[in-house]
Amino acid sequence: MTTMAVRGGRPLEGTVAVRGAKNLVSKAMVAALLGRTPSRLRNVPDVSDVGIVSSLLTLHGVTVRPGDERGEIVMDPAGVERADVADINAHAGSSRVPILLCGPLLHRLGRAFIPDLGGCRIGDRPIDFHLDALRGFGAVVDKEPDGLHITAPTGLKGMKLSLPYPSVGATEQTLLTAVCAEGVTELSNAAVEPEIMDLIAILQKMGAIIEVHTDRVIRVTGVPALSGYTHRALPDRIEAASWACAALATGGHVTVDGARQADMMTFLNVFRRVGGEFAVADSGITFWHPGGQLSSIALETHVHPGFMTDWQQPLAVALTQASGLSILHETVYENRFGFAGALTSMGATIQLYRECLGGLPCRFGQRNFVHSAVLSGPSKLYAADLEIPDLRGGFSYLIAALAAQGTSTVRGIDIIKRGYENFESKLAGLGADVS
Ligand code: EPU
């Protein structure tokens, strides 16, 4: 387990660059499987989730190599082949992406395999929507002790599907399968996150026909074959917001090169309501604490265009420094306040509730899920010995340690490498005292 010592109490000052969004890049890499010619993806961050998808593609006969520019990869799917189930299980352990290989592999090979899925422990994270979608296309799912074996004995055919919830992954699953399915697929209650729009742009470059309607309806007309693409991944708005929250919590001033206003409108509104300031430039966004008191707020996470669940944890750390009561209602995952205990041990005042403390329709109310929080601030934070629970919670621990008085020990920082590129050197570049 890798450990970081963080001597807190210094404002973060300086510039960091964010590259492509992990949550688009991994799906864009899967899309390359659908092409008859090589694909070229740019702005790929050096994070471990990208390494996992590279290994999975390689296992399936795709050649993955660096391209000409830094952060470019070239994927050649000419030799797509079946992978050994044990190898898939060995490589996939810590990622949810393998499930998205199903549609492309069914199209290319007529069969696919889903291992026991990993990903962050932030709730049950079921895959029922994915399996319902695959079955809707005509796939047959067999549960075996080693995982799920999926076949398409009569091919994949377009269909109508309404998702019970606008799931990001299930929307991507449907898109990646529908593009080459026979006929038209109509998906209602689809997720419309910017990363999904970027995936749609990639699929369109490959030859797909996809219409996005204003009411969460996406219509895909299947085509017999797709070619490779060249694409620059959209910037990582979760990482950008994480640095913004780190600037706010430490009383600092951080320019995030690459951050894009259009993808972060909702975050920027909240940042301003809390009392943070920002300036948007062509090349990125600068975030800073203007001095004085921060304001408490009531906030609910939601699917896009709502406030992202992945922005919630880093913002919660900054809210420990706001004066008054802040109320958070998490409506995307049932278990995303795992980090609250650690913050409390550092001096924050946080009460967790099973009730919905907000007005958004939520699947977790009255079901015993602790999914609302009340933070009372401002609280002075003190150093602690912390063990990272999940990716976003983990980065939040780092922010808390940076804002705290004294030297914290943060264990398990490898989890952070799943989604934050070179964060150790970025922290050092911002003047953080870490080792
Ligand atoms: N859900 C189901 N059944 C399903 C699929 C989802 O009940 O078959 C539920 C989930 O349990 C959850 C909700 O639907 O309560 C939303 O899940 P969604 O499918 O939208 O999430 P995901 O595709 O698994 C992606 C990101 C997450 C991000 C969410 C929401 C990737 C690899 N992961 O997950 O990112 O929080 O969308 O925006 O794209 C992260 O980056 O740290 C991270 C967790």
Side-chain angles (χ1 to χ4, degrees):
M1 189 185 286
T2 330
T3 299
M4 185 178 254
V6 181
R7 284 163 287 279
R10 287 191 188 186
L12 295 189
E13 310 266 358
T15 300
V16 288
V18 294
R19 292 204 285 167
K22 154 182 105 65
N23 290 349
L24 171 273
V25 165
S26 44
K27 328 301 171 57
M29 292 174 73
V30 174
L33 265 174
L34 287 163
R36 298 285 158 179
T37 49
S39 290
R40 202 171 272 273
L41 185 60
R42 300 189 170 131
N43 208 20
V44 175
D46 182 13
V47 294
S48 51
D49 269 18
V50 168
I52 290 172
V53 187
S54 275
S55 313
L56 286 169
L57 289 183
T58 307
L59 285 178
H60 286 94
V62 179
T63 319
V64 184
R65 60 171 178 84
D68 302 331
E69 65 175 67
R70 178 175 168 257
E72 180 179 279
I73 54 170
V74 181
M75 295 158 285
D76 186 348
V80 171
E81 61 187 10
R82 273 182 75 181
D84 184 67
V85 165
D87 286 344
I88 300 177
N89 264 327
H91 282 82
S94 58
S95 165
R96 297 233 342 138
V97 173
I99 191 173
L100 294 176
L101 266 67
C102 287
L105 287 177
L106 287 172
H107 284 303
R108 295 298 302 261
L109 304 172
R111 55 194 313 129
F113 168 72
I114 304 176
D116 225 5
L117 289 174
C120 283
R121 278 165 279 135
I122 51 181
D124 235 4
R125 306 197 76 180
I127 56 169
D128 48 340
F129 306 162
H130 293 255
L131 298 182
D132 287 349
L134 289 166
R135 289 190 181 106
F137 283 109
V140 175
V141 180
D142 284 319
K143 291 193 178 164
E144 304 280 343
D146 55 353
L148 302 176
H149 292 260
I150 302 172
T151 49
T154 56
L156 297 167
K157 300 200 173 48
M159 49 116 188
K160 268 192 164 189
L161 176 69
S162 181
L163 289 177
Y165 184 78
S167 149
V168 169
T171 300
E172 292 161 341
Q173 177 79 264
T174 306
L175 287 168
L176 288 164
T177 311
V179 282
C180 288
E182 190 191 322
V184 174
T185 297
E186 186 177 288
L187 181 66
S188 314
N189 207 23
V192 292
E193 269 61 8
E195 292 76 15
I196 290 178
M197 293 303 132
D198 214 32
L199 179 63
I200 290 175
I202 288 172
L203 293 168
Q204 188 179 52
K205 284 177 176 175
M206 298 176 80
I209 302 171
I210 304 173
E211 296 157 41
V212 182
H213 298 260
T214 46
D215 50 357
R216 292 195 180 279
V217 173
I218 300 180
R219 274 173 69 88
V220 184
T221 306
V223 296
L226 297 173
S227 48
Y229 64 83
T230 298
H231 191 77
R232 176 170 293 276
L234 89 168
D236 197 313
R237 64 198 174 113
I238 306 178
E239 185 183 351
S242 302
W243 291 115
C245 293
L248 196 59
T250 62
H253 192 285
V254 174
T255 296
V256 185
D257 269 348
R260 203 164 71 175
Q261 181 186 18
D263 307 328
M264 298 185 69
M265 293 275 189
T266 308
F267 177 82
L268 294 174
N269 286 334
V270 169
F271 195 80
R272 179 167 278 159
R273 276 167 52 210
V274 173
E277 294 204 5
F278 60 87
V280 179
D282 287 350
S283 56
I285 307 179
T286 302
F287 300 90
W288 70 95
H289 189 312
Q293 290 278 359
L294 298 179
S295 307
S296 52
I297 49 160
L299 183 71
E300 298 180 82
T301 62
H302 201 22
V303 292
H304 188 77
F307 191 89
M308 282 189 98
T309 171
D310 303 284
W311 291 332
Q312 181 258 105
Q313 298 97 324
L315 185 79
V317 181
L319 289 176
T320 64
Q321 304 308 302
S323 77
L325 292 182
S326 291
I327 302 171
L328 301 179
H329 181 208
E330 169 63 55
T331 76
V332 180
Y333 288 111
E334 69 272 29
N335 182 21
R336 225 170 185 185
F337 284 115
F339 63 101
L343 289 188
T344 306
S345 75
M346 297 175 82
T349 307
I350 306 177
Q351 294 272 5
L352 300 179
Y353 294 88
R354 292 188 161 77
E355 292 76 12
C356 295
L357 298 184
L360 281 179
C362 166
R363 297 162 296 146
F364 311 133
Q366 314 299 328
R367 290 181 55 206
N368 273 329
F369 294 118
V370 175
H371 70 293
S372 295
V374 175
L375 291 82
S376 171
S379 304
K380 191 156 180 49
L381 298 180
Y382 297 93
D385 192 338
L386 306 166
E387 186 169 335
I388 284 179
D390 62 70
L391 173 59
R392 307 300 165 192
F395 197 81
S396 306
Y397 281 10
L398 283 186
I399 300 176
L402 291 163
Q405 184 183 316
T407 301
S408 297
T409 306
V410 188
R411 298 176 200 283
I413 60 163
D414 276 343
I415 296 181
I416 298 179
K417 291 186 180 155
R418 285 191 44 208
Y420 293 86
E421 181 181 47
N422 298 335
F423 67 93
E424 299 102 322
S425 55
K426 286 181 183 174
L427 283 171
L430 293 174
D433 190 352
V434 295
S435 55

PDB file of all heavy atoms in Angstrom, residues 57-70:
ATOM      1  N   LEU A  57      -7.905  -4.669 -24.253  1.00  0.00           N
ATOM      2  CA  LEU A  57      -7.927  -4.630 -25.725  1.00  0.00           C
ATOM      3  C   LEU A  57      -6.828  -5.540 -26.275  1.00  0.00           C
ATOM      4  O   LEU A  57      -7.056  -6.312 -27.218  1.00  0.00           O
ATOM      5  CB  LEU A  57      -7.720  -3.197 -26.228  1.00  0.00           C
ATOM      6  CG  LEU A  57      -8.863  -2.193 -26.011  1.00  0.00           C
ATOM      7  CD1 LEU A  57      -8.518  -0.847 -26.629  1.00  0.00           C
ATOM      8  CD2 LEU A  57     -10.176  -2.700 -26.589  1.00  0.00           C
ATOM      9  N   THR A  58      -5.651  -5.476 -25.670  1.00  0.00           N
ATOM     10  CA  THR A  58      -4.538  -6.301 -26.142  1.00  0.00           C
ATOM     11  C   THR A  58      -4.889  -7.787 -26.040  1.00  0.00           C
ATOM     12  O   THR A  58      -4.637  -8.565 -26.962  1.00  0.00           O
ATOM     13  CB  THR A  58      -3.263  -5.990 -25.320  1.00  0.00           C
ATOM     14  OG1 THR A  58      -3.065  -4.570 -25.366  1.00  0.00           O
ATOM     15  CG2 THR A  58      -2.039  -6.677 -25.879  1.00  0.00           C
ATOM     16  N   LEU A  59      -5.522  -8.152 -24.912  1.00  0.00           N
ATOM     17  CA  LEU A  59      -5.941  -9.552 -24.750  1.00  0.00           C
ATOM     18  C   LEU A  59      -6.879  -9.986 -25.867  1.00  0.00           C
ATOM     19  O   LEU A  59      -6.916 -11.153 -26.240  1.00  0.00           O
ATOM     20  CB  LEU A  59      -6.715  -9.725 -23.432  1.00  0.00           C
ATOM     21  CG  LEU A  59      -5.940  -9.734 -22.129  1.00  0.00           C
ATOM     22  CD1 LEU A  59      -6.897  -9.867 -20.959  1.00  0.00           C
ATOM     23  CD2 LEU A  59      -4.954 -10.893 -22.151  1.00  0.00           C
ATOM     24  N   HIS A  60      -7.640  -9.018 -26.393  1.00  0.00           N
ATOM     25  CA  HIS A  60      -8.591  -9.343 -27.458  1.00  0.00           C
ATOM     26  C   HIS A  60      -8.004  -9.121 -28.850  1.00  0.00           C
ATOM     27  O   HIS A  60      -8.734  -8.993 -29.826  1.00  0.00           O
ATOM     28  CB  HIS A  60      -9.880  -8.523 -27.294  1.00  0.00           C
ATOM     29  CG  HIS A  60     -10.734  -9.015 -26.154  1.00  0.00           C
ATOM     30  ND1 HIS A  60     -10.666  -8.488 -24.895  1.00  0.00           N
ATOM     31  CD2 HIS A  60     -11.657 -10.014 -26.093  1.00  0.00           C
ATOM     32  CE1 HIS A  60     -11.521  -9.122 -24.106  1.00  0.00           C
ATOM     33  NE2 HIS A  60     -12.132 -10.052 -24.803  1.00  0.00           N
ATOM     34  N   GLY A  61      -6.687  -9.056 -28.933  1.00  0.00           N
ATOM     35  CA  GLY A  61      -6.042  -9.016 -30.250  1.00  0.00           C
ATOM     36  C   GLY A  61      -5.896  -7.631 -30.847  1.00  0.00           C
ATOM     37  O   GLY A  61      -5.461  -7.494 -31.987  1.00  0.00           O
ATOM     38  N   VAL A  62      -6.253  -6.576 -30.103  1.00  0.00           N
ATOM     39  CA  VAL A  62      -6.090  -5.212 -30.617  1.00  0.00           C
ATOM     40  C   VAL A  62      -4.644  -4.769 -30.324  1.00  0.00           C
ATOM     41  O   VAL A  62      -4.155  -4.966 -29.217  1.00  0.00           O
ATOM     42  CB  VAL A  62      -7.077  -4.236 -29.931  1.00  0.00           C
ATOM     43  CG1 VAL A  62      -6.893  -2.812 -30.453  1.00  0.00           C
ATOM     44  CG2 VAL A  62      -8.513  -4.700 -30.135  1.00  0.00           C
ATOM     45  N   THR A  63      -3.984  -4.190 -31.314  1.00  0.00           N
ATOM     46  CA  THR A  63      -2.640  -3.659 -31.073  1.00  0.00           C
ATOM     47  C   THR A  63      -2.791  -2.240 -30.561  1.00  0.00           C
ATOM     48  O   THR A  63      -3.410  -1.402 -31.221  1.00  0.00           O
ATOM     49  CB  THR A  63      -1.833  -3.602 -32.387  1.00  0.00           C
ATOM     50  OG1 THR A  63      -2.106  -4.775 -33.105  1.00  0.00           O
ATOM     51  CG2 THR A  63      -0.359  -3.468 -32.131  1.00  0.00           C
ATOM     52  N   VAL A  64      -2.257  -1.968 -29.375  1.00  0.00           N
ATOM     53  CA  VAL A  64      -2.336  -0.619 -28.807  1.00  0.00           C
ATOM     54  C   VAL A  64      -0.910  -0.084 -28.704  1.00  0.00           C
ATOM     55  O   VAL A  64      -0.051  -0.712 -28.085  1.00  0.00           O
ATOM     56  CB  VAL A  64      -2.972  -0.644 -27.394  1.00  0.00           C
ATOM     57  CG1 VAL A  64      -3.140   0.772 -26.859  1.00  0.00           C
ATOM     58  CG2 VAL A  64      -4.311  -1.375 -27.409  1.00  0.00           C
ATOM     59  N   ARG A  65      -0.651   1.061 -29.375  1.00  0.00           N
ATOM     60  CA  ARG A  65       0.721   1.612 -29.310  1.00  0.00           C
ATOM     61  C   ARG A  65       0.654   3.128 -29.183  1.00  0.00           C
ATOM     62  O   ARG A  65      -0.361   3.738 -29.556  1.00  0.00           O
ATOM     63  CB  ARG A  65       1.529   1.212 -30.554  1.00  0.00           C
ATOM     64  CG  ARG A  65       0.961   1.695 -31.850  1.00  0.00           C
ATOM     65  CD  ARG A  65       1.902   1.457 -33.026  1.00  0.00           C
ATOM     66  NE  ARG A  65       1.297   1.903 -34.275  1.00  0.00           N
ATOM     67  CZ  ARG A  65       1.310   3.149 -34.724  1.00  0.00           C
ATOM     68  NH1 ARG A  65       1.915   4.099 -34.017  1.00  0.00           N
ATOM     69  NH2 ARG A  65       0.736   3.480 -35.865  1.00  0.00           N
ATOM     70  N   PRO A  66       1.722   3.747 -28.680  1.00  0.00           N
ATOM     71  CA  PRO A  66       1.720   5.210 -28.585  1.00  0.00           C
ATOM     72  C   PRO A  66       1.715   5.833 -29.973  1.00  0.00           C
ATOM     73  O   PRO A  66       2.299   5.277 -30.908  1.00  0.00           O
ATOM     74  CB  PRO A  66       3.033   5.533 -27.869  1.00  0.00           C
ATOM     75  CG  PRO A  66       3.578   4.236 -27.393  1.00  0.00           C
ATOM     76  CD  PRO A  66       2.945   3.138 -28.166  1.00  0.00           C
ATOM     77  N   GLY A  67       1.052   6.975 -30.125  1.00  0.00           N
ATOM     78  CA  GLY A  67       1.044   7.681 -31.406  1.00  0.00           C
ATOM     79  C   GLY A  67       2.178   8.685 -31.478  1.00  0.00           C
ATOM     80  O   GLY A  67       3.131   8.617 -30.684  1.00  0.00           O
ATOM     81  N   ASP A  68       2.074   9.641 -32.416  1.00  0.00           N
ATOM     82  CA  ASP A  68       3.185  10.569 -32.651  1.00  0.00           C
ATOM     83  C   ASP A  68       3.280  11.630 -31.561  1.00  0.00           C
ATOM     84  O   ASP A  68       4.361  12.024 -31.160  1.00  0.00           O
ATOM     85  CB  ASP A  68       3.012  11.273 -34.006  1.00  0.00           C
ATOM     86  CG  ASP A  68       2.929  10.243 -35.116  1.00  0.00           C
ATOM     87  OD1 ASP A  68       3.529   9.169 -34.938  1.00  0.00           O
ATOM     88  OD2 ASP A  68       2.232  10.495 -36.123  1.00  0.00           O
ATOM     89  N   GLU A  69       2.132  12.141 -31.077  1.00  0.00           N
ATOM     90  CA  GLU A  69       2.210  13.205 -30.080  1.00  0.00           C
ATOM     91  C   GLU A  69       2.060  12.620 -28.684  1.00  0.00           C
ATOM     92  O   GLU A  69       1.540  11.505 -28.511  1.00  0.00           O
ATOM     93  CB  GLU A  69       1.164  14.299 -30.341  1.00  0.00           C
ATOM     94  CG  GLU A  69      -0.283  13.874 -30.209  1.00  0.00           C
ATOM     95  CD  GLU A  69      -1.257  15.056 -30.364  1.00  0.00           C
ATOM     96  OE1 GLU A  69      -1.360  15.626 -31.468  1.00  0.00           O
ATOM     97  OE2 GLU A  69      -1.922  15.384 -29.376  1.00  0.00           O
ATOM     98  N   ARG A  70       2.502  13.395 -27.681  1.00  0.00           N
ATOM     99  CA  ARG A  70       2.378  12.933 -26.290  1.00  0.00           C
ATOM    100  C   ARG A  70       0.897  12.744 -25.962  1.00  0.00           C
ATOM    101  O   ARG A  70       0.066  13.573 -26.300  1.00  0.00           O
ATOM    102  CB  ARG A  70       3.007  13.982 -25.362  1.00  0.00           C
ATOM    103  CG  ARG A  70       2.899  13.624 -23.906  1.00  0.00           C
ATOM    104  CD  ARG A  70       3.642  14.611 -23.011  1.00  0.00           C
ATOM    105  NE  ARG A  70       3.266  14.370 -21.631  1.00  0.00           N
ATOM    106  CZ  ARG A  70       2.413  15.132 -20.940  1.00  0.00           C
ATOM    107  NH1 ARG A  70       1.876  16.200 -21.490  1.00  0.00           N
ATOM    108  NH2 ARG A  70       2.109  14.828 -19.688  1.00  0.00           N
TER     109      ARG A  70
END
